[in-house]
mmCIF file with all atom_site columns, all heavy atoms in Angstrom:
data_model
loop_
_atom_site.group_PDB
_atom_site.id
_atom_site.type_symbol
_atom_site.label_atom_id
_atom_site.label_alt_id
_atom_site.label_comp_id
_atom_site.label_asym_id
_atom_site.label_entity_id
_atom_site.label_seq_id
_atom_site.pdbx_PDB_ins_code
_atom_site.Cartn_x
_atom_site.Cartn_y
_atom_site.Cartn_z
_atom_site.occupancy
_atom_site.B_iso_or_equiv
_atom_site.pdbx_formal_charge
_atom_site.auth_seq_id
_atom_site.auth_comp_id
_atom_site.auth_asym_id
_atom_site.auth_atom_id
_atom_site.pdbx_PDB_model_num
ATOM 1   N N   . TRP B 1 167 ? 100.843 77.818 106.762 1.00 93.00 ? 167 TRP B N   1
ATOM 2   C CA  . TRP B 1 167 ? 101.911 78.610 107.396 1.00 93.00 ? 167 TRP B CA  1
ATOM 3   C C   . TRP B 1 167 ? 101.330 79.796 108.175 1.00 93.00 ? 167 TRP B C   1
ATOM 4   O O   . TRP B 1 167 ? 101.669 80.028 109.333 1.00 93.00 ? 167 TRP B O   1
ATOM 5   C CB  . TRP B 1 167 ? 102.910 79.079 106.332 1.00 93.00 ? 167 TRP B CB  1
ATOM 6   C CG  . TRP B 1 167 ? 103.838 80.139 106.805 1.00 93.00 ? 167 TRP B CG  1
ATOM 7   C CD1 . TRP B 1 167 ? 104.867 79.985 107.710 1.00 93.00 ? 167 TRP B CD1 1
ATOM 8   C CD2 . TRP B 1 167 ? 103.797 81.520 106.469 1.00 93.00 ? 167 TRP B CD2 1
ATOM 9   N NE1 . TRP B 1 167 ? 105.456 81.199 107.929 1.00 93.00 ? 167 TRP B NE1 1
ATOM 10  C CE2 . TRP B 1 167 ? 104.834 82.166 107.186 1.00 93.00 ? 167 TRP B CE2 1
ATOM 11  C CE3 . TRP B 1 167 ? 103.002 82.285 105.620 1.00 93.00 ? 167 TRP B CE3 1
ATOM 12  C CZ2 . TRP B 1 167 ? 105.072 83.519 107.083 1.00 93.00 ? 167 TRP B CZ2 1
ATOM 13  C CZ3 . TRP B 1 167 ? 103.249 83.639 105.524 1.00 93.00 ? 167 TRP B CZ3 1
ATOM 14  C CH2 . TRP B 1 167 ? 104.281 84.245 106.236 1.00 93.00 ? 167 TRP B CH2 1
ATOM 15  N N   . ILE B 1 168 ? 100.438 80.560 107.496 1.00 93.00 ? 168 ILE B N   1
ATOM 16  C CA  . ILE B 1 168 ? 99.882  81.768 108.125 1.00 93.00 ? 168 ILE B CA  1
ATOM 17  C C   . ILE B 1 168 ? 99.009  81.393 109.322 1.00 93.00 ? 168 ILE B C   1
ATOM 18  O O   . ILE B 1 168 ? 99.004  82.080 110.325 1.00 93.00 ? 168 ILE B O   1
ATOM 19  C CB  . ILE B 1 168 ? 99.132  82.657 107.118 1.00 93.00 ? 168 ILE B CB  1
ATOM 20  C CG1 . ILE B 1 168 ? 98.655  83.959 107.772 1.00 93.00 ? 168 ILE B CG1 1
ATOM 21  C CG2 . ILE B 1 168 ? 97.921  81.989 106.541 1.00 93.00 ? 168 ILE B CG2 1
ATOM 22  C CD1 . ILE B 1 168 ? 99.604  85.039 107.587 1.00 93.00 ? 168 ILE B CD1 1
ATOM 23  N N   . ARG B 1 169 ? 98.302  80.259 109.227 1.00 93.00 ? 169 ARG B N   1
ATOM 24  C CA  . ARG B 1 169 ? 97.454  79.814 110.315 1.00 93.00 ? 169 ARG B CA  1
ATOM 25  C C   . ARG B 1 169 ? 98.304  79.524 111.536 1.00 93.00 ? 169 ARG B C   1
ATOM 26  O O   . ARG B 1 169 ? 98.012  79.955 112.643 1.00 93.00 ? 169 ARG B O   1
ATOM 27  C CB  . ARG B 1 169 ? 96.733  78.543 109.844 1.00 93.00 ? 169 ARG B CB  1
ATOM 28  C CG  . ARG B 1 169 ? 95.559  78.145 110.673 1.00 93.00 ? 169 ARG B CG  1
ATOM 29  C CD  . ARG B 1 169 ? 94.991  76.870 110.111 1.00 93.00 ? 169 ARG B CD  1
ATOM 30  N NE  . ARG B 1 169 ? 94.230  77.068 108.891 1.00 93.00 ? 169 ARG B NE  1
ATOM 31  C CZ  . ARG B 1 169 ? 93.815  76.063 108.106 1.00 93.00 ? 169 ARG B CZ  1
ATOM 32  N NH1 . ARG B 1 169 ? 94.028  74.799 108.464 1.00 93.00 ? 169 ARG B NH1 1
ATOM 33  N NH2 . ARG B 1 169 ? 93.124  76.297 107.008 1.00 93.00 ? 169 ARG B NH2 1
ATOM 34  N N   . GLU B 1 170 ? 99.398  78.802 111.346 1.00 94.00 ? 170 GLU B N   1
ATOM 35  C CA  . GLU B 1 170 ? 100.278 78.461 112.462 1.00 94.00 ? 170 GLU B CA  1
ATOM 36  C C   . GLU B 1 170 ? 100.976 79.680 113.014 1.00 94.00 ? 170 GLU B C   1
ATOM 37  O O   . GLU B 1 170 ? 101.154 79.828 114.227 1.00 94.00 ? 170 GLU B O   1
ATOM 38  C CB  . GLU B 1 170 ? 101.292 77.391 112.032 1.00 94.00 ? 170 GLU B CB  1
ATOM 39  C CG  . GLU B 1 170 ? 100.640 76.009 111.936 1.00 94.00 ? 170 GLU B CG  1
ATOM 40  C CD  . GLU B 1 170 ? 101.512 74.965 111.284 1.00 94.00 ? 170 GLU B CD  1
ATOM 41  O OE1 . GLU B 1 170 ? 102.636 75.297 110.889 1.00 94.00 ? 170 GLU B OE1 1
ATOM 42  O OE2 . GLU B 1 170 ? 101.047 73.822 111.180 1.00 94.00 ? 170 GLU B OE2 1
ATOM 43  N N   . LEU B 1 171 ? 101.350 80.579 112.142 1.00 95.00 ? 171 LEU B N   1
ATOM 44  C CA  . LEU B 1 171 ? 102.000 81.823 112.559 1.00 95.00 ? 171 LEU B CA  1
ATOM 45  C C   . LEU B 1 171 ? 101.054 82.617 113.459 1.00 95.00 ? 171 LEU B C   1
ATOM 46  O O   . LEU B 1 171 ? 101.445 83.070 114.548 1.00 95.00 ? 171 LEU B O   1
ATOM 47  C CB  . LEU B 1 171 ? 102.381 82.652 111.322 1.00 95.00 ? 171 LEU B CB  1
ATOM 48  C CG  . LEU B 1 171 ? 102.993 84.031 111.600 1.00 95.00 ? 171 LEU B CG  1
ATOM 49  C CD1 . LEU B 1 171 ? 104.387 83.878 112.182 1.00 95.00 ? 171 LEU B CD1 1
ATOM 50  C CD2 . LEU B 1 171 ? 103.016 84.870 110.330 1.00 95.00 ? 171 LEU B CD2 1
ATOM 51  N N   . MET B 1 172 ? 99.787  82.757 113.045 1.00 95.00 ? 172 MET B N   1
ATOM 52  C CA  . MET B 1 172 ? 98.828  83.529 113.844 1.00 95.00 ? 172 MET B CA  1
ATOM 53  C C   . MET B 1 172 ? 98.591  82.899 115.198 1.00 95.00 ? 172 MET B C   1
ATOM 54  O O   . MET B 1 172 ? 98.509  83.575 116.197 1.00 95.00 ? 172 MET B O   1
ATOM 55  C CB  . MET B 1 172 ? 97.519  83.663 113.059 1.00 95.00 ? 172 MET B CB  1
ATOM 56  C CG  . MET B 1 172 ? 97.611  84.710 111.982 1.00 95.00 ? 172 MET B CG  1
ATOM 57  S SD  . MET B 1 172 ? 96.031  85.086 111.235 1.00 95.00 ? 172 MET B SD  1
ATOM 58  C CE  . MET B 1 172 ? 95.904  83.775 110.066 1.00 95.00 ? 172 MET B CE  1
ATOM 59  N N   . ARG B 1 173 ? 98.490  81.566 115.204 1.00 95.00 ? 173 ARG B N   1
ATOM 60  C CA  . ARG B 1 173 ? 98.283  80.867 116.480 1.00 95.00 ? 173 ARG B CA  1
ATOM 61  C C   . ARG B 1 173 ? 99.421  81.094 117.417 1.00 95.00 ? 173 ARG B C   1
ATOM 62  O O   . ARG B 1 173 ? 99.294  81.336 118.591 1.00 95.00 ? 173 ARG B O   1
ATOM 63  C CB  . ARG B 1 173 ? 98.091  79.375 116.214 1.00 95.00 ? 173 ARG B CB  1
ATOM 64  C CG  . ARG B 1 173 ? 96.765  79.011 115.556 1.00 95.00 ? 173 ARG B CG  1
ATOM 65  C CD  . ARG B 1 173 ? 96.349  77.618 115.975 1.00 95.00 ? 173 ARG B CD  1
ATOM 66  N NE  . ARG B 1 173 ? 94.923  77.487 115.897 1.00 95.00 ? 173 ARG B NE  1
ATOM 67  C CZ  . ARG B 1 173 ? 94.085  77.964 116.788 1.00 95.00 ? 173 ARG B CZ  1
ATOM 68  N NH1 . ARG B 1 173 ? 94.546  78.622 117.858 1.00 95.00 ? 173 ARG B NH1 1
ATOM 69  N NH2 . ARG B 1 173 ? 92.803  77.807 116.656 1.00 95.00 ? 173 ARG B NH2 1
ATOM 70  N N   . ARG B 1 174 ? 100.669 81.032 116.813 1.00 96.00 ? 174 ARG B N   1
ATOM 71  C CA  . ARG B 1 174 ? 101.849 81.203 117.642 1.00 96.00 ? 174 ARG B CA  1
ATOM 72  C C   . ARG B 1 174 ? 101.933 82.624 118.191 1.00 96.00 ? 174 ARG B C   1
ATOM 73  O O   . ARG B 1 174 ? 102.235 82.840 119.367 1.00 96.00 ? 174 ARG B O   1
ATOM 74  C CB  . ARG B 1 174 ? 103.106 80.872 116.810 1.00 96.00 ? 174 ARG B CB  1
ATOM 75  C CG  . ARG B 1 174 ? 104.363 80.766 117.645 1.00 96.00 ? 174 ARG B CG  1
ATOM 76  C CD  . ARG B 1 174 ? 105.521 80.195 116.863 1.00 96.00 ? 174 ARG B CD  1
ATOM 77  N NE  . ARG B 1 174 ? 106.040 81.165 115.907 1.00 96.00 ? 174 ARG B NE  1
ATOM 78  C CZ  . ARG B 1 174 ? 106.087 80.987 114.606 1.00 96.00 ? 174 ARG B CZ  1
ATOM 79  N NH1 . ARG B 1 174 ? 105.604 79.851 114.073 1.00 96.00 ? 174 ARG B NH1 1
ATOM 80  N NH2 . ARG B 1 174 ? 106.571 81.918 113.812 1.00 96.00 ? 174 ARG B NH2 1
ATOM 81  N N   . LEU B 1 175 ? 101.633 83.603 117.327 1.00 96.00 ? 175 LEU B N   1
ATOM 82  C CA  . LEU B 1 175 ? 101.674 85.006 117.787 1.00 96.00 ? 175 LEU B CA  1
ATOM 83  C C   . LEU B 1 175 ? 100.673 85.251 118.914 1.00 96.00 ? 175 LEU B C   1
ATOM 84  O O   . LEU B 1 175 ? 100.956 85.970 119.854 1.00 96.00 ? 175 LEU B O   1
ATOM 85  C CB  . LEU B 1 175 ? 101.392 85.924 116.588 1.00 96.00 ? 175 LEU B CB  1
ATOM 86  C CG  . LEU B 1 175 ? 102.462 85.960 115.484 1.00 96.00 ? 175 LEU B CG  1
ATOM 87  C CD1 . LEU B 1 175 ? 101.921 86.640 114.232 1.00 96.00 ? 175 LEU B CD1 1
ATOM 88  C CD2 . LEU B 1 175 ? 103.737 86.632 115.989 1.00 96.00 ? 175 LEU B CD2 1
ATOM 89  N N   . ALA B 1 176 ? 99.494  84.646 118.780 1.00 97.00 ? 176 ALA B N   1
ATOM 90  C CA  . ALA B 1 176 ? 98.477  84.813 119.839 1.00 97.00 ? 176 ALA B CA  1
ATOM 91  C C   . ALA B 1 176 ? 98.924  84.110 121.109 1.00 97.00 ? 176 ALA B C   1
ATOM 92  O O   . ALA B 1 176 ? 98.758  84.660 122.221 1.00 97.00 ? 176 ALA B O   1
ATOM 93  C CB  . ALA B 1 176 ? 97.140  84.243 119.373 1.00 97.00 ? 176 ALA B CB  1
ATOM 94  N N   . ALA B 1 177 ? 99.558  82.934 120.968 1.00 97.00 ? 177 ALA B N   1
ATOM 95  C CA  . ALA B 1 177 ? 100.010 82.181 122.141 1.00 97.00 ? 177 ALA B CA  1
ATOM 96  C C   . ALA B 1 177 ? 101.102 82.963 122.881 1.00 97.00 ? 177 ALA B C   1
ATOM 97  O O   . ALA B 1 177 ? 101.267 82.795 124.086 1.00 97.00 ? 177 ALA B O   1
ATOM 98  C CB  . ALA B 1 177 ? 100.528 80.828 121.711 1.00 97.00 ? 177 ALA B CB  1
ATOM 99  N N   . GLU B 1 178 ? 101.831 83.808 122.150 1.00 96.00 ? 178 GLU B N   1
ATOM 100 C CA  . GLU B 1 178 ? 102.852 84.628 122.794 1.00 96.00 ? 178 GLU B CA  1
ATOM 101 C C   . GLU B 1 178 ? 102.260 85.835 123.516 1.00 96.00 ? 178 GLU B C   1
ATOM 102 O O   . GLU B 1 178 ? 102.990 86.672 124.028 1.00 96.00 ? 178 GLU B O   1
ATOM 103 C CB  . GLU B 1 178 ? 103.852 85.130 121.739 1.00 96.00 ? 178 GLU B CB  1
ATOM 104 C CG  . GLU B 1 178 ? 104.783 84.038 121.216 1.00 96.00 ? 178 GLU B CG  1
ATOM 105 C CD  . GLU B 1 178 ? 105.533 84.434 119.941 1.00 96.00 ? 178 GLU B CD  1
ATOM 106 O OE1 . GLU B 1 178 ? 105.355 85.592 119.489 1.00 96.00 ? 178 GLU B OE1 1
ATOM 107 O OE2 . GLU B 1 178 ? 106.297 83.606 119.425 1.00 96.00 ? 178 GLU B OE2 1
ATOM 108 N N   . GLY B 1 179 ? 100.926 85.928 123.500 1.00 96.00 ? 179 GLY B N   1
ATOM 109 C CA  . GLY B 1 179 ? 100.278 86.999 124.237 1.00 96.00 ? 179 GLY B CA  1
ATOM 110 C C   . GLY B 1 179 ? 99.947  88.214 123.400 1.00 96.00 ? 179 GLY B C   1
ATOM 111 O O   . GLY B 1 179 ? 99.574  89.258 123.897 1.00 96.00 ? 179 GLY B O   1
ATOM 112 N N   . ARG B 1 180 ? 100.118 88.094 122.077 1.00 97.00 ? 180 ARG B N   1
ATOM 113 C CA  . ARG B 1 180 ? 99.825  89.238 121.209 1.00 97.00 ? 180 ARG B CA  1
ATOM 114 C C   . ARG B 1 180 ? 98.341  89.258 120.852 1.00 97.00 ? 180 ARG B C   1
ATOM 115 O O   . ARG B 1 180 ? 97.637  88.269 120.958 1.00 97.00 ? 180 ARG B O   1
ATOM 116 C CB  . ARG B 1 180 ? 100.647 89.154 119.927 1.00 97.00 ? 180 ARG B CB  1
ATOM 117 C CG  . ARG B 1 180 ? 102.138 89.213 120.177 1.00 97.00 ? 180 ARG B CG  1
ATOM 118 C CD  . ARG B 1 180 ? 102.891 89.000 118.887 1.00 97.00 ? 180 ARG B CD  1
ATOM 119 N NE  . ARG B 1 180 ? 104.101 88.243 119.120 1.00 97.00 ? 180 ARG B NE  1
ATOM 120 C CZ  . ARG B 1 180 ? 105.323 88.803 119.035 1.00 97.00 ? 180 ARG B CZ  1
ATOM 121 N NH1 . ARG B 1 180 ? 105.464 90.053 118.754 1.00 97.00 ? 180 ARG B NH1 1
ATOM 122 N NH2 . ARG B 1 180 ? 106.393 88.080 119.279 1.00 97.00 ? 180 ARG B NH2 1
ATOM 123 N N   . THR B 1 181 ? 97.903  90.431 120.380 1.00 97.00 ? 181 THR B N   1
ATOM 124 C CA  . THR B 1 181 ? 96.560  90.590 119.906 1.00 97.00 ? 181 THR B CA  1
ATOM 125 C C   . THR B 1 181 ? 96.571  90.374 118.402 1.00 97.00 ? 181 THR B C   1
ATOM 126 O O   . THR B 1 181 ? 97.339  90.986 117.673 1.00 97.00 ? 181 THR B O   1
ATOM 127 C CB  . THR B 1 181 ? 96.066  92.031 120.189 1.00 97.00 ? 181 THR B CB  1
ATOM 128 O OG1 . THR B 1 181 ? 96.205  92.280 121.570 1.00 97.00 ? 181 THR B OG1 1
ATOM 129 C CG2 . THR B 1 181 ? 94.617  92.238 119.786 1.00 97.00 ? 181 THR B CG2 1
#
Side-chain angles (χ1 to χ4, degrees):
Chain B
W167 166 71
I168 184 92
R169 196 182 286 171
E170 284 170 359
L171 177 70
M172 282 189 277
R173 289 208 154 283
R174 192 170 72 240
L175 292 167
E178 287 166 2
R180 297 174 215 253
T181 305

